[in-house]
PDB file of all heavy atoms in Angstrom:
ATOM      1  N   SER A   1     -71.879 -41.362  40.836  1.00 92.00           N
ATOM      2  CA  SER A   1     -71.112 -40.979  42.017  1.00 92.00           C
ATOM      3  C   SER A   1     -69.854 -41.841  42.165  1.00 92.00           C
ATOM      4  O   SER A   1     -69.004 -41.569  42.979  1.00 92.00           O
ATOM      5  CB  SER A   1     -71.997 -41.125  43.258  1.00 92.00           C
ATOM      6  OG  SER A   1     -72.494 -42.447  43.331  1.00 92.00           O
ATOM      7  N   SER A   2     -69.755 -42.900  41.323  1.00 92.00           N
ATOM      8  CA  SER A   2     -68.600 -43.796  41.398  1.00 92.00           C
ATOM      9  C   SER A   2     -67.457 -43.290  40.525  1.00 92.00           C
ATOM     10  O   SER A   2     -67.679 -42.620  39.530  1.00 92.00           O
ATOM     11  CB  SER A   2     -68.981 -45.190  40.887  1.00 92.00           C
ATOM     12  OG  SER A   2     -70.080 -45.688  41.586  1.00 92.00           O
ATOM     13  N   THR A   3     -66.248 -43.660  40.902  1.00 96.00           N
ATOM     14  CA  THR A   3     -65.090 -43.498  40.042  1.00 96.00           C
ATOM     15  C   THR A   3     -64.794 -44.871  39.482  1.00 96.00           C
ATOM     16  O   THR A   3     -64.799 -45.857  40.235  1.00 96.00           O
ATOM     17  CB  THR A   3     -63.879 -42.999  40.846  1.00 96.00           C
ATOM     18  OG1 THR A   3     -64.204 -41.733  41.409  1.00 96.00           O
ATOM     19  CG2 THR A   3     -62.658 -42.832  39.956  1.00 96.00           C
ATOM     20  N   TYR A   4     -64.572 -44.960  38.209  1.00 97.00           N
ATOM     21  CA  TYR A   4     -64.338 -46.250  37.562  1.00 97.00           C
ATOM     22  C   TYR A   4     -62.874 -46.464  37.206  1.00 97.00           C
ATOM     23  O   TYR A   4     -62.180 -45.504  36.878  1.00 97.00           O
ATOM     24  CB  TYR A   4     -65.163 -46.337  36.268  1.00 97.00           C
ATOM     25  CG  TYR A   4     -66.643 -46.150  36.414  1.00 97.00           C
ATOM     26  CD1 TYR A   4     -67.291 -45.110  35.749  1.00 97.00           C
ATOM     27  CD2 TYR A   4     -67.399 -47.030  37.183  1.00 97.00           C
ATOM     28  CE1 TYR A   4     -68.667 -44.948  35.858  1.00 97.00           C
ATOM     29  CE2 TYR A   4     -68.781 -46.867  37.288  1.00 97.00           C
ATOM     30  CZ  TYR A   4     -69.413 -45.840  36.613  1.00 97.00           C
ATOM     31  OH  TYR A   4     -70.763 -45.669  36.707  1.00 97.00           O
ATOM     32  N   LYS A   5     -62.455 -47.726  37.219  1.00 97.00           N
ATOM     33  CA  LYS A   5     -61.164 -48.093  36.636  1.00 97.00           C
ATOM     34  C   LYS A   5     -61.430 -48.406  35.159  1.00 97.00           C
ATOM     35  O   LYS A   5     -60.826 -47.839  34.263  1.00 97.00           O
ATOM     36  CB  LYS A   5     -60.564 -49.307  37.366  1.00 97.00           C
ATOM     37  CG  LYS A   5     -59.268 -49.799  36.750  1.00 97.00           C
ATOM     38  CD  LYS A   5     -58.690 -50.949  37.595  1.00 97.00           C
ATOM     39  CE  LYS A   5     -57.620 -51.709  36.859  1.00 97.00           C
ATOM     40  NZ  LYS A   5     -58.157 -52.654  35.857  1.00 97.00           N
ATOM     41  N   ASP A   6     -62.336 -49.327  34.931  1.00 98.00           N
ATOM     42  CA  ASP A   6     -62.810 -49.648  33.580  1.00 98.00           C
ATOM     43  C   ASP A   6     -64.316 -49.423  33.619  1.00 98.00           C
ATOM     44  O   ASP A   6     -64.960 -49.713  34.618  1.00 98.00           O
ATOM     45  CB  ASP A   6     -62.514 -51.111  33.221  1.00 98.00           C
ATOM     46  CG  ASP A   6     -61.038 -51.437  33.283  1.00 98.00           C
ATOM     47  OD1 ASP A   6     -60.224 -50.609  32.799  1.00 98.00           O
ATOM     48  OD2 ASP A   6     -60.669 -52.497  33.783  1.00 98.00           O
ATOM     49  N   CYS A   7     -64.874 -48.900  32.544  1.00 98.00           N
ATOM     50  CA  CYS A   7     -66.317 -48.650  32.585  1.00 98.00           C
ATOM     51  C   CYS A   7     -67.010 -48.887  31.270  1.00 98.00           C
ATOM     52  O   CYS A   7     -66.395 -48.896  30.213  1.00 98.00           O
ATOM     53  CB  CYS A   7     -66.607 -47.236  33.099  1.00 98.00           C
ATOM     54  SG  CYS A   7     -66.193 -45.914  31.980  1.00 98.00           S
ATOM     55  N   LYS A   8     -68.315 -49.104  31.408  1.00 98.00           N
ATOM     56  CA  LYS A   8     -69.231 -49.202  30.283  1.00 98.00           C
ATOM     57  C   LYS A   8     -70.152 -47.993  30.370  1.00 98.00           C
ATOM     58  O   LYS A   8     -70.624 -47.652  31.475  1.00 98.00           O
ATOM     59  CB  LYS A   8     -70.098 -50.462  30.385  1.00 98.00           C
ATOM     60  CG  LYS A   8     -69.353 -51.766  30.362  1.00 98.00           C
ATOM     61  CD  LYS A   8     -70.361 -52.932  30.435  1.00 98.00           C
ATOM     62  CE  LYS A   8     -69.634 -54.253  30.414  1.00 98.00           C
ATOM     63  NZ  LYS A   8     -70.591 -55.380  30.211  1.00 98.00           N
ATOM     64  N   VAL A   9     -70.414 -47.364  29.229  1.00 98.00           N
ATOM     65  CA  VAL A   9     -71.348 -46.236  29.186  1.00 98.00           C
ATOM     66  C   VAL A   9     -72.311 -46.457  28.026  1.00 98.00           C
ATOM     67  O   VAL A   9     -71.959 -47.083  27.027  1.00 98.00           O
ATOM     68  CB  VAL A   9     -70.630 -44.875  29.036  1.00 98.00           C
ATOM     69  CG1 VAL A   9     -69.947 -44.461  30.307  1.00 98.00           C
ATOM     70  CG2 VAL A   9     -69.624 -44.899  27.898  1.00 98.00           C
ATOM     71  N   TRP A  10     -73.526 -45.946  28.192  1.00 98.00           N
ATOM     72  CA  TRP A  10     -74.558 -46.137  27.170  1.00 98.00           C
ATOM     73  C   TRP A  10     -75.549 -44.995  27.299  1.00 98.00           C
ATOM     74  O   TRP A  10     -75.504 -44.237  28.280  1.00 98.00           O
ATOM     75  CB  TRP A  10     -75.265 -47.485  27.375  1.00 98.00           C
ATOM     76  CG  TRP A  10     -75.876 -47.631  28.727  1.00 98.00           C
ATOM     77  CD1 TRP A  10     -77.086 -47.137  29.145  1.00 98.00           C
ATOM     78  CD2 TRP A  10     -75.305 -48.276  29.866  1.00 98.00           C
ATOM     79  NE1 TRP A  10     -77.295 -47.444  30.469  1.00 98.00           N
ATOM     80  CE2 TRP A  10     -76.232 -48.152  30.946  1.00 98.00           C
ATOM     81  CE3 TRP A  10     -74.107 -48.974  30.092  1.00 98.00           C
ATOM     82  CZ2 TRP A  10     -75.990 -48.670  32.205  1.00 98.00           C
ATOM     83  CZ3 TRP A  10     -73.868 -49.481  31.355  1.00 98.00           C
ATOM     84  CH2 TRP A  10     -74.798 -49.344  32.383  1.00 98.00           C
ATOM     85  N   PRO A  11     -76.466 -44.858  26.310  1.00 97.00           N
ATOM     86  CA  PRO A  11     -77.471 -43.807  26.429  1.00 97.00           C
ATOM     87  C   PRO A  11     -78.268 -43.993  27.733  1.00 97.00           C
ATOM     88  O   PRO A  11     -78.943 -44.984  27.913  1.00 97.00           O
ATOM     89  CB  PRO A  11     -78.357 -44.025  25.200  1.00 97.00           C
ATOM     90  CG  PRO A  11     -77.457 -44.712  24.209  1.00 97.00           C
ATOM     91  CD  PRO A  11     -76.568 -45.594  25.057  1.00 97.00           C
ATOM     92  N   GLY A  12     -78.087 -43.066  28.678  1.00 96.00           N
ATOM     93  CA  GLY A  12     -78.828 -43.112  29.914  1.00 96.00           C
ATOM     94  C   GLY A  12     -78.100 -43.644  31.118  1.00 96.00           C
ATOM     95  O   GLY A  12     -78.636 -43.641  32.238  1.00 96.00           O
ATOM     96  N   GLY A  13     -76.835 -44.077  30.972  1.00 97.00           N
ATOM     97  CA  GLY A  13     -76.165 -44.596  32.170  1.00 97.00           C
ATOM     98  C   GLY A  13     -74.751 -45.086  31.997  1.00 97.00           C
ATOM     99  O   GLY A  13     -74.167 -44.996  30.909  1.00 97.00           O
ATOM    100  N   SER A  14     -74.226 -45.613  33.115  1.00 97.00           N
ATOM    101  CA  SER A  14     -72.874 -46.165  33.098  1.00 97.00           C
ATOM    102  C   SER A  14     -72.725 -47.123  34.273  1.00 97.00           C
ATOM    103  O   SER A  14     -73.525 -47.090  35.211  1.00 97.00           O
ATOM    104  CB  SER A  14     -71.835 -45.033  33.232  1.00 97.00           C
ATOM    105  OG  SER A  14     -71.942 -44.393  34.505  1.00 97.00           O
ATOM    106  N   ARG A  15     -71.713 -47.952  34.209  1.00 97.00           N
ATOM    107  CA  ARG A  15     -71.388 -48.816  35.347  1.00 97.00           C
ATOM    108  C   ARG A  15     -69.945 -49.297  35.195  1.00 97.00           C
ATOM    109  O   ARG A  15     -69.341 -49.139  34.140  1.00 97.00           O
ATOM    110  CB  ARG A  15     -72.351 -49.983  35.510  1.00 97.00           C
ATOM    111  CG  ARG A  15     -72.155 -51.136  34.543  1.00 97.00           C
ATOM    112  CD  ARG A  15     -73.119 -52.283  34.938  1.00 97.00           C
ATOM    113  NE  ARG A  15     -72.993 -53.431  34.094  1.00 97.00           N
ATOM    114  CZ  ARG A  15     -72.214 -54.502  34.340  1.00 97.00           C
ATOM    115  NH1 ARG A  15     -71.425 -54.517  35.403  1.00 97.00           N
ATOM    116  NH2 ARG A  15     -72.212 -55.558  33.538  1.00 97.00           N
ATOM    117  N   THR A  16     -69.444 -49.912  36.262  1.00 97.00           N
ATOM    118  CA  THR A  16     -68.104 -50.425  36.174  1.00 97.00           C
ATOM    119  C   THR A  16     -68.067 -51.602  35.194  1.00 97.00           C
ATOM    120  O   THR A  16     -69.051 -52.331  35.048  1.00 97.00           O
ATOM    121  CB  THR A  16     -67.595 -50.863  37.582  1.00 97.00           C
ATOM    122  OG1 THR A  16     -66.198 -51.045  37.527  1.00 97.00           O
ATOM    123  CG2 THR A  16     -68.279 -52.140  38.074  1.00 97.00           C
ATOM    124  N   TRP A  17     -66.960 -51.746  34.477  1.00 98.00           N
ATOM    125  CA  TRP A  17     -66.776 -52.886  33.584  1.00 98.00           C
ATOM    126  C   TRP A  17     -65.879 -53.863  34.335  1.00 98.00           C
ATOM    127  O   TRP A  17     -64.681 -53.655  34.436  1.00 98.00           O
ATOM    128  CB  TRP A  17     -66.128 -52.409  32.281  1.00 98.00           C
ATOM    129  CG  TRP A  17     -65.802 -53.479  31.302  1.00 98.00           C
ATOM    130  CD1 TRP A  17     -66.282 -54.766  31.262  1.00 98.00           C
ATOM    131  CD2 TRP A  17     -64.919 -53.350  30.171  1.00 98.00           C
ATOM    132  NE1 TRP A  17     -65.737 -55.427  30.190  1.00 98.00           N
ATOM    133  CE2 TRP A  17     -64.918 -54.597  29.509  1.00 98.00           C
ATOM    134  CE3 TRP A  17     -64.134 -52.311  29.668  1.00 98.00           C
ATOM    135  CZ2 TRP A  17     -64.160 -54.824  28.351  1.00 98.00           C
ATOM    136  CZ3 TRP A  17     -63.385 -52.540  28.530  1.00 98.00           C
ATOM    137  CH2 TRP A  17     -63.390 -53.782  27.867  1.00 98.00           C
ATOM    138  N   ASP A  18     -66.512 -54.904  34.879  1.00 97.00           N
ATOM    139  CA  ASP A  18     -65.809 -55.917  35.660  1.00 97.00           C
ATOM    140  C   ASP A  18     -65.466 -57.090  34.744  1.00 97.00           C
ATOM    141  O   ASP A  18     -66.345 -57.865  34.373  1.00 97.00           O
ATOM    142  CB  ASP A  18     -66.702 -56.361  36.803  1.00 97.00           C
ATOM    143  CG  ASP A  18     -66.039 -57.387  37.725  1.00 97.00           C
ATOM    144  OD1 ASP A  18     -64.948 -57.883  37.364  1.00 97.00           O
ATOM    145  OD2 ASP A  18     -66.623 -57.670  38.775  1.00 97.00           O
ATOM    146  N   TRP A  19     -64.192 -57.219  34.413  1.00 97.00           N
ATOM    147  CA  TRP A  19     -63.772 -58.269  33.479  1.00 97.00           C
ATOM    148  C   TRP A  19     -64.075 -59.663  34.007  1.00 97.00           C
ATOM    149  O   TRP A  19     -64.206 -60.610  33.239  1.00 97.00           O
ATOM    150  CB  TRP A  19     -62.280 -58.129  33.212  1.00 97.00           C
ATOM    151  CG  TRP A  19     -61.889 -56.922  32.416  1.00 97.00           C
ATOM    152  CD1 TRP A  19     -62.642 -55.804  32.203  1.00 97.00           C
ATOM    153  CD2 TRP A  19     -60.636 -56.695  31.764  1.00 97.00           C
ATOM    154  NE1 TRP A  19     -61.924 -54.906  31.454  1.00 97.00           N
ATOM    155  CE2 TRP A  19     -60.712 -55.419  31.176  1.00 97.00           C
ATOM    156  CE3 TRP A  19     -59.485 -57.448  31.628  1.00 97.00           C
ATOM    157  CZ2 TRP A  19     -59.642 -54.877  30.440  1.00 97.00           C
ATOM    158  CZ3 TRP A  19     -58.423 -56.915  30.908  1.00 97.00           C
ATOM    159  CH2 TRP A  19     -58.512 -55.645  30.309  1.00 97.00           C
ATOM    160  N   ARG A  20     -64.189 -59.805  35.316  1.00 96.00           N
ATOM    161  CA  ARG A  20     -64.447 -61.136  35.902  1.00 96.00           C
ATOM    162  C   ARG A  20     -65.831 -61.663  35.497  1.00 96.00           C
ATOM    163  O   ARG A  20     -66.040 -62.866  35.472  1.00 96.00           O
ATOM    164  CB  ARG A  20     -64.359 -61.085  37.436  1.00 96.00           C
ATOM    165  CG  ARG A  20     -62.919 -60.878  37.922  1.00 96.00           C
ATOM    166  CD  ARG A  20     -62.870 -60.586  39.391  1.00 96.00           C
ATOM    167  NE  ARG A  20     -63.619 -59.361  39.714  1.00 96.00           N
ATOM    168  CZ  ARG A  20     -63.529 -58.709  40.847  1.00 96.00           C
ATOM    169  NH1 ARG A  20     -62.762 -59.144  41.817  1.00 96.00           N
ATOM    170  NH2 ARG A  20     -64.234 -57.616  41.063  1.00 96.00           N
ATOM    171  N   GLU A  21     -66.753 -60.781  35.144  1.00 96.00           N
ATOM    172  CA  GLU A  21     -68.084 -61.212  34.758  1.00 96.00           C
ATOM    173  C   GLU A  21     -68.053 -62.104  33.518  1.00 96.00           C
ATOM    174  O   GLU A  21     -68.873 -62.992  33.360  1.00 96.00           O
ATOM    175  CB  GLU A  21     -68.992 -60.012  34.454  1.00 96.00           C
ATOM    176  CG  GLU A  21     -69.375 -59.227  35.677  1.00 96.00           C
ATOM    177  CD  GLU A  21     -70.125 -57.921  35.317  1.00 96.00           C
ATOM    178  OE1 GLU A  21     -70.534 -57.747  34.167  1.00 96.00           O
ATOM    179  OE2 GLU A  21     -70.289 -57.108  36.228  1.00 96.00           O
ATOM    180  N   THR A  22     -67.131 -61.814  32.634  1.00 96.00           N
ATOM    181  CA  THR A  22     -67.069 -62.536  31.357  1.00 96.00           C
ATOM    182  C   THR A  22     -65.739 -63.297  31.170  1.00 96.00           C
ATOM    183  O   THR A  22     -65.521 -63.911  30.148  1.00 96.00           O
ATOM    184  CB  THR A  22     -67.263 -61.570  30.182  1.00 96.00           C
ATOM    185  OG1 THR A  22     -66.356 -60.485  30.337  1.00 96.00           O
ATOM    186  CG2 THR A  22     -68.681 -61.029  30.126  1.00 96.00           C
ATOM    187  N   GLY A  23     -64.851 -63.204  32.172  1.00 96.00           N
ATOM    188  CA  GLY A  23     -63.559 -63.859  32.071  1.00 96.00           C
ATOM    189  C   GLY A  23     -62.644 -63.178  31.049  1.00 96.00           C
ATOM    190  O   GLY A  23     -61.754 -63.808  30.461  1.00 96.00           O
ATOM    191  N   THR A  24     -62.841 -61.885  30.850  1.00 96.00           N
ATOM    192  CA  THR A  24     -62.046 -61.139  29.868  1.00 96.00           C
ATOM    193  C   THR A  24     -60.612 -60.928  30.378  1.00 96.00           C
ATOM    194  O   THR A  24     -60.383 -60.688  31.551  1.00 96.00           O
ATOM    195  CB  THR A  24     -62.726 -59.797  29.576  1.00 96.00           C
ATOM    196  OG1 THR A  24     -63.949 -60.073  28.900  1.00 96.00           O
ATOM    197  CG2 THR A  24     -61.866 -58.883  28.721  1.00 96.00           C
ATOM    198  N   GLU A  25     -59.645 -61.057  29.460  1.00 96.00           N
ATOM    199  CA  GLU A  25     -58.239 -60.758  29.737  1.00 96.00           C
ATOM    200  C   GLU A  25     -57.707 -59.941  28.563  1.00 96.00           C
ATOM    201  O   GLU A  25     -58.348 -59.841  27.525  1.00 96.00           O
ATOM    202  CB  GLU A  25     -57.464 -62.064  29.899  1.00 96.00           C
ATOM    203  CG  GLU A  25     -57.949 -62.839  31.135  1.00 96.00           C
ATOM    204  CD  GLU A  25     -57.202 -64.159  31.344  1.00 96.00           C
ATOM    205  OE1 GLU A  25     -56.514 -64.625  30.415  1.00 96.00           O
ATOM    206  OE2 GLU A  25     -57.337 -64.728  32.434  1.00 96.00           O
ATOM    207  N   HIS A  26     -56.500 -59.374  28.715  1.00 97.00           N
ATOM    208  CA  HIS A  26     -55.917 -58.574  27.641  1.00 97.00           C
ATOM    209  C   HIS A  26     -55.854 -59.334  26.320  1.00 97.00           C
ATOM    210  O   HIS A  26     -56.015 -58.766  25.260  1.00 97.00           O
ATOM    211  CB  HIS A  26     -54.539 -58.049  28.029  1.00 97.00           C
ATOM    212  CG  HIS A  26     -54.579 -56.979  29.090  1.00 97.00           C
ATOM    213  ND1 HIS A  26     -54.434 -57.269  30.431  1.00 97.00           N
ATOM    214  CD2 HIS A  26     -54.777 -55.655  29.005  1.00 97.00           C
ATOM    215  CE1 HIS A  26     -54.544 -56.130  31.127  1.00 97.00           C
ATOM    216  NE2 HIS A  26     -54.735 -55.137  30.290  1.00 97.00           N
ATOM    217  N   HIS A  27     -55.577 -60.627  26.406  1.00 96.00           N
ATOM    218  CA  HIS A  27     -55.567 -61.516  25.238  1.00 96.00           C
ATOM    219  C   HIS A  27     -56.548 -62.658  25.526  1.00 96.00           C
ATOM    220  O   HIS A  27     -56.437 -63.243  26.622  1.00 96.00           O
ATOM    221  CB  HIS A  27     -54.171 -62.105  25.007  1.00 96.00           C
ATOM    222  CG  HIS A  27     -53.135 -61.062  24.758  1.00 96.00           C
ATOM    223  ND1 HIS A  27     -52.853 -60.552  23.518  1.00 96.00           N
ATOM    224  CD2 HIS A  27     -52.293 -60.423  25.605  1.00 96.00           C
ATOM    225  CE1 HIS A  27     -51.890 -59.643  23.634  1.00 96.00           C
ATOM    226  NE2 HIS A  27     -51.554 -59.536  24.894  1.00 96.00           N
ATOM    227  N   PRO A  28     -57.475 -63.034  24.689  1.00 95.00           N
ATOM    228  CA  PRO A  28     -57.694 -62.459  23.354  1.00 95.00           C
ATOM    229  C   PRO A  28     -58.370 -61.084  23.378  1.00 95.00           C
ATOM    230  O   PRO A  28     -58.425 -60.422  22.354  1.00 95.00           O
ATOM    231  CB  PRO A  28     -58.581 -63.504  22.675  1.00 95.00           C
ATOM    232  CG  PRO A  28     -59.353 -64.138  23.782  1.00 95.00           C
ATOM    233  CD  PRO A  28     -58.402 -64.134  24.969  1.00 95.00           C
ATOM    234  N   GLY A  29     -58.877 -60.673  24.539  1.00 97.00           N
ATOM    235  CA  GLY A  29     -59.410 -59.313  24.604  1.00 97.00           C
ATOM    236  C   GLY A  29     -60.910 -59.203  24.742  1.00 97.00           C
ATOM    237  O   GLY A  29     -61.557 -60.087  25.309  1.00 97.00           O
ATOM    238  N   VAL A  30     -61.444 -58.102  24.234  1.00 98.00           N
ATOM    239  CA  VAL A  30     -62.866 -57.766  24.379  1.00 98.00           C
ATOM    240  C   VAL A  30     -63.731 -58.806  23.663  1.00 98.00           C
ATOM    241  O   VAL A  30     -63.529 -59.088  22.475  1.00 98.00           O
ATOM    242  CB  VAL A  30     -63.148 -56.358  23.798  1.00 98.00           C
ATOM    243  CG1 VAL A  30     -64.625 -55.994  23.984  1.00 98.00           C
ATOM    244  CG2 VAL A  30     -62.265 -55.315  24.463  1.00 98.00           C
ATOM    245  N   GLN A  31     -64.672 -59.357  24.393  1.00 97.00           N
ATOM    246  CA  GLN A  31     -65.568 -60.370  23.849  1.00 97.00           C
ATOM    247  C   GLN A  31     -66.932 -59.762  23.546  1.00 97.00           C
ATOM    248  O   GLN A  31     -67.303 -58.744  24.137  1.00 97.00           O
ATOM    249  CB  GLN A  31     -65.764 -61.483  24.895  1.00 97.00           C
ATOM    250  CG  GLN A  31     -64.472 -62.110  25.365  1.00 97.00           C
ATOM    251  CD  GLN A  31     -64.755 -63.062  26.523  1.00 97.00           C
ATOM    252  OE1 GLN A  31     -65.282 -64.144  26.309  1.00 97.00           O
ATOM    253  NE2 GLN A  31     -64.441 -62.629  27.738  1.00 97.00           N
ATOM    254  N   PRO A  32     -67.701 -60.427  22.662  1.00 97.00           N
ATOM    255  CA  PRO A  32     -69.070 -59.916  22.417  1.00 97.00           C
ATOM    256  C   PRO A  32     -69.856 -59.745  23.722  1.00 97.00           C
ATOM    257  O   PRO A  32     -70.607 -58.782  23.855  1.00 97.00           O
ATOM    258  CB  PRO A  32     -69.681 -61.002  21.513  1.00 97.00           C
ATOM    259  CG  PRO A  32     -68.506 -61.546  20.754  1.00 97.00           C
ATOM    260  CD  PRO A  32     -67.365 -61.540  21.754  1.00 97.00           C
ATOM    261  N   ALA A  33     -69.659 -60.645  24.682  1.00 97.00           N
ATOM    262  CA  ALA A  33     -70.378 -60.548  25.954  1.00 97.00           C
ATOM    263  C   ALA A  33     -70.064 -59.259  26.708  1.00 97.00           C
ATOM    264  O   ALA A  33     -70.897 -58.752  27.475  1.00 97.00           O
ATOM    265  CB  ALA A  33     -70.057 -61.745  26.847  1.00 97.00           C
ATOM    266  N   ASP A  34     -68.869 -58.694  26.492  1.00 98.00           N
ATOM    267  CA  ASP A  34     -68.473 -57.455  27.166  1.00 98.00           C
ATOM    268  C   ASP A  34     -69.260 -56.246  26.656  1.00 98.00           C
ATOM    269  O   ASP A  34     -69.462 -55.279  27.377  1.00 98.00           O
ATOM    270  CB  ASP A  34     -66.976 -57.173  26.990  1.00 98.00           C
ATOM    271  CG  ASP A  34     -66.104 -58.159  27.723  1.00 98.00           C
ATOM    272  OD1 ASP A  34     -66.362 -58.399  28.908  1.00 98.00           O
ATOM    273  OD2 ASP A  34     -65.165 -58.691  27.127  1.00 98.00           O
ATOM    274  N   VAL A  35     -69.656 -56.303  25.394  1.00 98.00           N
ATOM    275  CA  VAL A  35     -70.311 -55.146  24.782  1.00 98.00           C
ATOM    276  C   VAL A  35     -71.825 -55.330  24.609  1.00 98.00           C
ATOM    277  O   VAL A  35     -72.521 -54.377  24.323  1.00 98.00           O
ATOM    278  CB  VAL A  35     -69.654 -54.808  23.419  1.00 98.00           C
ATOM    279  CG1 VAL A  35     -68.180 -54.485  23.617  1.00 98.00           C
ATOM    280  CG2 VAL A  35     -69.825 -55.921  22.399  1.00 98.00           C
ATOM    281  N   GLN A  36     -72.291 -56.552  24.826  1.00 97.00           N
ATOM    282  CA  GLN A  36     -73.711 -56.883  24.634  1.00 97.00           C
ATOM    283  C   GLN A  36     -74.642 -55.921  25.390  1.00 97.00           C
ATOM    284  O   GLN A  36     -75.610 -55.402  24.837  1.00 97.00           O
ATOM    285  CB  GLN A  36     -73.949 -58.318  25.125  1.00 97.00           C
ATOM    286  CG  GLN A  36     -75.347 -58.838  24.840  1.00 97.00           C
ATOM    287  CD  GLN A  36     -75.573 -59.043  23.361  1.00 97.00           C
ATOM    288  OE1 GLN A  36     -74.735 -59.611  22.672  1.00 97.00           O
ATOM    289  NE2 GLN A  36     -76.681 -58.544  22.852  1.00 97.00           N
ATOM    290  N   GLU A  37     -74.321 -55.693  26.670  1.00 97.00           N
ATOM    291  CA  GLU A  37     -75.165 -54.840  27.509  1.00 97.00           C
ATOM    292  C   GLU A  37     -75.306 -53.429  26.918  1.00 97.00           C
ATOM    293  O   GLU A  37     -76.383 -52.845  26.899  1.00 97.00           O
ATOM    294  CB  GLU A  37     -74.549 -54.756  28.906  1.00 97.00           C
ATOM    295  CG  GLU A  37     -75.261 -53.855  29.869  1.00 97.00           C
ATOM    296  CD  GLU A  37     -74.613 -53.804  31.249  1.00 97.00           C
ATOM    297  OE1 GLU A  37     -73.440 -54.217  31.394  1.00 97.00           O
ATOM    298  OE2 GLU A  37     -75.286 -53.359  32.165  1.00 97.00           O
ATOM    299  N   VAL A  38     -74.208 -52.891  26.417  1.00 98.00           N
ATOM    300  CA  VAL A  38     -74.187 -51.534  25.853  1.00 98.00           C
ATOM    301  C   VAL A  38     -75.070 -51.490  24.590  1.00 98.00           C
ATOM    302  O   VAL A  38     -75.814 -50.539  24.375  1.00 98.00           O
ATOM    303  CB  VAL A  38     -72.738 -51.079  25.571  1.00 98.00           C
ATOM    304  CG1 VAL A  38     -72.704 -49.736  24.875  1.00 98.00           C
ATOM    305  CG2 VAL A  38     -71.944 -51.026  26.865  1.00 98.00           C
ATOM    306  N   LEU A  39     -74.970 -52.545  23.772  1.00 98.00           N
ATOM    307  CA  LEU A  39     -75.792 -52.604  22.566  1.00 98.00           C
ATOM    308  C   LEU A  39     -77.272 -52.763  22.924  1.00 98.00           C
ATOM    309  O   LEU A  39     -78.125 -52.108  22.334  1.00 98.00           O
ATOM    310  CB  LEU A  39     -75.343 -53.782  21.678  1.00 98.00           C
ATOM    311  CG  LEU A  39     -73.885 -53.743  21.237  1.00 98.00           C
ATOM    312  CD1 LEU A  39     -73.589 -54.941  20.334  1.00 98.00           C
ATOM    313  CD2 LEU A  39     -73.524 -52.452  20.540  1.00 98.00           C
ATOM    314  N   ASP A  40     -77.539 -53.599  23.945  1.00 97.00           N
ATOM    315  CA  ASP A  40     -78.930 -53.817  24.353  1.00 97.00           C
ATOM    316  C   ASP A  40     -79.576 -52.538  24.883  1.00 97.00           C
ATOM    317  O   ASP A  40     -80.794 -52.404  24.847  1.00 97.00           O
ATOM    318  CB  ASP A  40     -79.005 -54.905  25.446  1.00 97.00           C
ATOM    319  CG  ASP A  40     -78.697 -56.302  24.901  1.00 97.00           C
ATOM    320  OD1 ASP A  40     -78.693 -56.471  23.671  1.00 97.00           O
ATOM    321  OD2 ASP A  40     -78.466 -57.205  25.731  1.00 97.00           O
ATOM    322  N   LYS A  41     -78.755 -51.619  25.366  1.00 97.00           N
ATOM    323  CA  LYS A  41     -79.275 -50.356  25.916  1.00 97.00           C
ATOM    324  C   LYS A  41     -79.429 -49.276  24.841  1.00 97.00           C
ATOM    325  O   LYS A  41     -79.670 -48.111  25.139  1.00 97.00           O
ATOM    326  CB  LYS A  41     -78.407 -49.870  27.066  1.00 97.00           C
ATOM    327  CG  LYS A  41     -78.488 -50.860  28.247  1.00 97.00           C
ATOM    328  CD  LYS A  41     -78.062 -50.251  29.552  1.00 97.00           C
ATOM    329  CE  LYS A  41     -77.991 -51.268  30.653  1.00 97.00           C
ATOM    330  NZ  LYS A  41     -79.176 -51.289  31.509  1.00 97.00           N
ATOM    331  N   GLY A  42     -79.251 -49.659  23.576  1.00 96.00           N
ATOM    332  CA  GLY A  42     -79.606 -48.760  22.481  1.00 96.00           C
ATOM    333  C   GLY A  42     -78.491 -48.019  21.787  1.00 96.00           C
ATOM    334  O   GLY A  42     -78.742 -47.116  20.991  1.00 96.00           O
TER     335      GLY A  42
END
């Protein structure tokens, strides 16, 4: 029911991708921690 600015999606769901959770910025960019959740969900 949410509209996302940035999002994570995986088999069975989705949520907002909040860069503040991992301290992500455009440089150096996407960190393993940003994608870990998606991989853990299969």
Side-chain angles (χ1 to χ4, degrees):
S1 56
S2 304
T3 298
Y4 302 120
K5 176 176 165 282
D6 300 318
C7 71
K8 298 182 180 191
V9 286
W10 58 81
S14 66
R15 77 174 181 94
T16 195
W17 177 18
D18 182 350
W19 292 16
R20 290 170 299 195
E21 289 173 12
T22 51
T24 293
E25 296 180 345
H26 288 95
H27 300 273
V30 181
Q31 304 173 74
D34 291 312
V35 301
Q36 187 69 46
E37 177 180 17
V38 175
L39 302 182
D40 289 346
K41 295 200 187 261

